[in-house]
Amino acid sequence: GARLDIKQYVKFCSLTSDKACDYFRSTFSSIDDDFSVLANQSHIDERVKASISIAPGFVESMTPDSLAVIKIPSLIVGAEKDINVPPYSHVTPYLKHFSEHIKYQEIADASHFSFMQRCRPNALAILAEEGAEFVCEDGGRKLREQIHEETYRMVSDFINDKL
């Protein structure tokens, strides 16, 4: 039920430099009025009874009014060491707009890609060839398996409590 204001994302990125903004910056010139109308319209699907978002993007571009009236149980899981979509700029400033049905939790020492599958032994070397070894890098102290276990517990507790 959250609605985007896609031009707000462009404005946000004009004031912010992080990996998400850097990644999408080249697409901003293609955001015209027609695209904005499509992106900003309601995408509510009545079949959806709950939502779970892990390291989500575009929270800063969701309209405060739409966040305030979310009626389904929603869990947002952030990653403390996320440099792609840092929670301190993309999520936590907007918590004040969240309805009572939205819960935010953060995994300490997790990075944006910590929620992906475990990396195989040769993955770092292979990814380094593409300059993408960041996919296998976590916050530093916790193993990816520990982050997965913590995420699993958060999601399971949310599902068991809300559904």
Side-chain angles (χ1 to χ4, degrees):
R3 293 179 75 145
L4 285 178
D5 177 351
I6 199 68
K7 290 185 179 178
Q8 179 61 31
Y9 187 65
V10 176
K11 181 179 177 184
F12 174 85
C13 287
S14 73
L15 304 171
T16 306
S17 182
D18 59 37
K19 291 193 181 272
C21 287
D22 293 345
Y23 181 81
F24 287 110
R25 202 173 311 280
S26 66
T27 67
F28 293 164
S29 61
S30 64
I31 298 175
D32 58 14
D33 290 339
D34 291 337
F35 180 84
S36 293
V37 167
L38 290 173
N40 297 349
Q41 67 187 350
S42 174
H43 296 282
I44 290 176
D45 184 333
E46 298 299 331
R47 296 171 296 175
V48 176
K49 302 300 181 202
S51 72
I52 299 169
S53 304
I54 299 177
F58 299 103
V59 173
E60 73 291 319
S61 306
M62 295 175 185
T63 66
D65 291 346
S66 71
L67 290 169
V69 296
I70 298 282
K71 291 180 174 62
I72 63 170
S74 302
L75 173 64
I76 298 175
V77 179
E80 176 197 26
K81 305 282 178 139
D82 190 339
I83 61 171
N84 295 77
V85 185
Y88 64 82
S89 60
H90 288 263
V91 179
T92 57
Y94 308 96
L95 294 176
K96 62 186 174 213
H97 302 298
F98 285 10
S99 82
E100 63 187 23
H101 301 287
I102 304 173
K103 181 178 183 179
Y104 176 72
Q105 291 185 288
E106 196 168 288
I107 306 268
D109 208 37
S111 71
H112 189 72
F113 296 100
S114 294
F115 305 106
M116 292 177 62
Q117 71 275 8
R118 292 180 301 180
C119 294
R120 294 179 184 249
N122 295 333
L124 274 175
I126 294 167
L127 289 166
E129 294 173 13
E130 303 282 330
E133 58 271 18
F134 57 86
V135 171
C136 287
E137 294 171 352
D138 298 312
R141 296 180 317 274
K142 286 184 187 173
L143 297 173
R144 189 163 287 196
E145 292 83 357
Q146 294 171 300
I147 294 166
H148 287 183
E149 287 172 18
E150 192 172 341
T151 306
Y152 176 82
R153 280 192 306 276
M154 276 183 188
V155 170
S156 294
D157 290 348
F158 172 76
I159 290 170
N160 290 327
D161 183 49
K162 299 294 181 186
L163 304 178

